[in-house]
Amino acid sequence: MSRVMDKLLACRFRHPDAAVRLFCFPWAGGGSGYYNNWGKLMPGTVEVYSLRLPGRETRLKEPCHKTMEALTNDISTTILPKLKDKPFAFFGHRCKNGYLTSVGEFICYFYSMGAFTAFEVARYLQKWYGLQPQHLFVSGVSAPQSPLRYQKNRQPVFEMSEEAFLDYIRQIGGTPEEILQNKGMMKLFLPPLRADLELLDAYNYQIPDSGPELSCPVTCFDGTEDRDHDLDAWAQLTSHSAFQKTKLPGGHFYLLDKNNQQTLLKHILQTLENI
């Protein structure tokens, strides 16, 4: 891979003879760590790439993107060479709380970064290059045009002071207080988290009068015990008739359960094998 592409794409388990590539989009404030192991769990027919965005991991010193448009442009143009010679698919998960993983990656799962970014990159590729994923997988989130994705009566993140932002993270819950009190850790992980949340606060999408911009199949996953999500609204974003939704036992982070992860990956694999 080129140097620029190598910064963005992480692929721990190479499968050069794979029939299809699966690109996994991180959640708000997140990195490539969780999805990297998917390559080990998939057969050689699928090569898994996890995106590593500016402002985190090995790109810590790079400025985070301020708008969805800039983020989408960067991702799309960088991964383009990987999209021309083989079929590809996208996976994105929404997150709504926060904690620190054992590998030192801060996960915020309050916003729909992964799913929305995957959708926006698919739109961009279709508009400018006539390319689409063979399948768009989204998880744990209402469609971007659905009123259910908006929080009412909440101060925008960009207006929050540092203290107010930390209080906001506390209110969301799930982040141990000892982590919030660790100034060194927060100095490292809060900037990309805040940048992503500001970006998503400003993100808005409406289906154009001409109709859906995608024509690829869409599959939605969700946890049975998670809050209500408008999954059906994702069907409005594609002209393809093959829309599916699957719920697995558990809350928002149902996919961290090993049995659920196995079921999820089996479903994705079966879908990709039919491409």
Side-chain angles (χ1 to χ4, degrees):
M1 291 189 289
S2 70
R3 183 177 179 182
V4 175
M5 190 185 302
D6 192 49
K7 288 198 302 181
L8 175 67
L9 295 178
C11 183
R12 184 174 295 170
F13 301 94
R14 304 279 183 178
H15 298 305
D17 297 324
V20 62
R21 295 183 174 116
L22 176 65
F23 294 86
C24 300
F25 291 73
W27 39 69
S32 61
Y34 173 74
Y35 295 122
N36 272 337
N37 288 324
W38 279 18
K40 180 174 62 176
L41 303 175
M42 286 287 196
T45 55
V46 179
E47 189 170 51
V48 178
Y49 288 85
S50 182
L51 273 66
R52 185 191 301 116
L53 302 182
R56 61 216 81 193
E57 299 178 289
T58 57
R59 307 184 67 183
L60 193 63
K61 294 183 179 180
E62 298 180 41
C64 298
H65 289 294
K66 299 296 185 180
T67 66
M68 180 64 81
E69 182 180 12
L71 176 62
T72 299
N73 190 330
D74 181 23
I75 294 174
S76 302
T77 54
T78 303
I79 69 174
L80 185 61
K82 284 288 182 182
L83 309 180
K84 293 182 175 181
D85 60 335
K86 291 182 181 182
F88 62 94
F90 290 165
F91 178 91
H93 180 69
R94 168 198 187 249
C95 306
K96 72 171 185 180
N97 219 329
Y99 64 87
L100 192 75
T101 68
S102 59
V103 296
E105 174 187 346
F106 187 82
I107 293 179
C108 170
Y109 51 104
F110 192 70
Y111 280 85
S112 318
M113 185 79 169
F116 289 171
T117 308
F119 167 68
E120 285 296 327
V121 171
R123 284 183 60 223
Y124 186 98
L125 292 169
Q126 171 59 29
K127 179 179 180 180
W128 295 107
Y129 301 105
L131 294 171
Q132 286 188 74
Q134 297 292 312
H135 209 102
L136 175 62
F137 301 97
V138 295
S139 174
V141 61
S142 299
Q145 81 281 9
S146 172
L148 284 184
R149 65 161 285 223
Y150 297 102
Q151 280 185 285
K152 296 181 180 180
N153 303 319
R154 178 179 65 77
Q155 181 185 23
V157 172
F158 82 91
E159 293 182 357
M160 295 180 184
S161 64
E162 181 175 335
E163 182 179 353
F165 184 64
L166 284 173
D167 287 341
Y168 178 47
I169 301 302
R170 286 189 178 93
Q171 291 170 14
I172 293 171
T175 307
E177 186 62 28
E178 57 268 27
I179 292 178
L180 292 172
Q181 294 291 340
N182 188 319
K183 293 184 179 180
M185 196 172 291
M186 288 295 95
K187 184 178 180 180
L188 184 66
F189 294 114
L190 280 184
L193 171 58
R194 180 161 188 156
D196 288 350
L197 297 188
E198 289 181 3
L199 180 154
L200 287 166
D201 264 358
Y203 171 59
N204 181 55
Y205 178 76
Q206 296 297 326
I207 301 172
D209 293 339
S210 57
E213 298 172 271
L214 300 181
S215 58
C216 61
V218 175
T219 294
C220 297
F221 300 98
D222 209 358
T224 56
E225 299 173 20
D226 200 358
R227 59 173 291 187
D228 290 336
H229 294 132
D230 191 356
L231 301 182
D232 291 328
W234 282 98
Q236 302 169 9
L237 300 179
T238 180
S239 59
H240 203 289
S241 59
F243 171 74
Q244 297 183 21
K245 57 182 180 180
T246 299
K247 288 199 171 186
L248 298 173
H252 187 72
F253 257 80
Y254 71 89
L255 76 172
L256 295 183
D257 177 88
K258 289 186 178 180
N259 291 330
N260 285 341
Q261 179 179 249
Q262 185 177 14
T263 301
L264 177 71
L265 293 180
K266 182 179 179 180
H267 189 118
I268 292 174
L269 178 60
Q270 290 174 340
T271 302
L272 297 181
E273 286 179 337
N274 292 325
I275 291 177

